[in-house]
């Protein structure tokens, strides 16, 4: 049995990973983490790692060379504007600015033109809503054969952004099919054929509903109405 504040601590993993807290808030999170049961601390640190990996992936995929005038303009702005002390904000106000910025990066990644048979790449409004939602969560898991899948999602916004990195494509004549699994069983969240699976792939998953798991199976080309093989990977959404 974990402490009643456990969900609150886990929910702080994302702002902690993004350094979206004040020094005092960060110290308080670390104090709670030190006092937390081992399984809670492990879940917290796993979510921190997933956020770091996702942001590193997105940043690398969307990096561009700054214009030559950037340095001069930045120095001129700093010279004209004195350093100001930023106001301290309450912990539950951390999300909007930082995660909206993360959403912009995610949209930039989608703009790379990666083909996807699941859903269209996330629009700015969808991504911003997901990343800025008060219940935003990040889950990540390894894919057998290589690569990793990470889902940033919000049940309140009923959607998520799926990021797949270095996942090998399915064999010829087959597809990867995603399933949102709830109390009424699985329903398809789309398919990816070999052409759709790039070294860096992202897509939006709408209509999470009451789903508790995002599962991945290998299906015949074109997909299936229901899974025909065991799931080779799962991400928890509860």
């Amino acid at each position: 049995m974990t402490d009643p504040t456990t969900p609150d601590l886990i929910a702080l993993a994302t702002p902690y990973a993004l350094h979206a807290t004040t020094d005092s808030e960060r110290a308080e999170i670390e104090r709670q983490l030190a006092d937390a049961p081992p399984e809670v601390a492990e879940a917290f640190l796993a979510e921190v790692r997933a956020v770091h990996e996702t942001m590193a992936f997105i940043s690398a995929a969307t990096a561009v060379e700054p214009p030559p005038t950037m340095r001069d303009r930045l120095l001129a702005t700093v010279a004209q504007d004195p350093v100001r002390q930023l106001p301290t904000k309450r912990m539950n106000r951390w999300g909007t600015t930082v995660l909206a910025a993360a959403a912009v990066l995610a949209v930039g990644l989608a703009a790379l033109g990666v083909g996807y048979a699941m859903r269209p790449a996330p629009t700015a409004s969808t991504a911003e809503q997901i990343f800025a939602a008060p219940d935003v969560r990040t889950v990540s898991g390894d894919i057998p054969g290589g690569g990793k899948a990470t889902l940033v999602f919000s049940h309140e916004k009923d959607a998520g952004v799926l990021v797949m990195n270095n996942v090998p494509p399915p064999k010829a004549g087959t597809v990867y099919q995603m399933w949102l699994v709830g109390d009424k069983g699985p329903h398809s969240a789309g398919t990816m054929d070999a052409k759709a699976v790039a070294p860096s792939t992202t897509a939006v998953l709408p209509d999470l509903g009451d789903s508790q798991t995002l599962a991945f199976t290998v299906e015949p080309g074109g997909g299936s109405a229901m899974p025909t093989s065991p799931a080779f990977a799962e991400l928890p959404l509860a």
Side-chain angles (χ1 to χ4, degrees):
M1 177 82 63
T2 57
D3 187 88
T5 62
T6 292
D8 293 333
L9 179 59
I10 300 301
L12 294 174
T14 298
Y16 180 89
L18 294 172
H19 297 279
T21 60
T22 65
D23 289 344
S24 61
E25 290 169 346
R26 192 173 185 84
E28 174 60 19
I29 293 173
E30 290 173 350
R31 184 195 64 76
Q32 293 185 37
L33 185 62
D35 294 337
E39 64 273 16
V40 174
E42 182 178 346
F44 180 95
L45 295 175
E47 187 141 347
V48 169
R49 286 194 298 272
V51 172
H52 285 168
E53 291 168 359
T54 300
M55 294 309 298
F57 161 60
I58 292 174
S59 297
T62 59
V64 294
E65 191 70 24
T69 59
M70 175 69 76
R71 180 178 181 276
D72 292 339
R73 281 187 292 159
L74 179 60
L75 291 176
T77 300
V78 171
Q80 295 172 5
D81 193 15
V83 177
R84 299 172 182 171
Q85 180 65 41
L86 294 177
T88 301
K89 298 182 179 180
R90 294 182 60 187
M91 186 73 75
N92 62 0
R93 302 287 294 177
W94 62 267
T96 303
T97 301
V98 173
L99 291 182
V104 172
L105 290 176
V107 173
L109 175 60
L112 293 176
V114 175
Y116 221 100
M118 295 173 52
R119 295 288 192 274
T123 63
S125 59
T126 300
E128 287 172 356
Q129 289 177 27
I130 294 169
F131 279 87
D135 67 335
V136 64
R137 291 288 306 277
T138 303
V139 293
S140 183
D142 294 329
I143 300 297
K148 178 168 291 188
T150 298
L151 183 70
V152 183
F153 68 98
S154 164
H155 280 295
E156 180 177 303
K157 300 303 178 183
D158 198 28
V161 175
L162 176 66
V163 177
M164 299 183 70
N165 191 18
N166 295 324
V167 174
K171 295 180 179 180
T174 68
V175 295
Y176 293 147
Q177 188 157 357
M178 275 55 62
W179 305 91
L180 290 168
V181 185
D183 293 337
K184 297 181 180 180
H187 68 271
S188 178
T191 63
M192 293 182 290
D193 60 17
K195 294 181 180 179
V197 180
S200 301
T201 310
T202 186
V204 66
L205 290 177
D207 305 323
L208 298 184
D210 61 355
S211 302
Q212 300 166 5
T213 304
L214 174 64
F216 300 77
T217 65
V218 176
E219 301 295 334
S224 304
M226 294 294 290
T228 63
S229 64
F232 63 81
E234 295 183 344
L235 297 176
L237 305 182

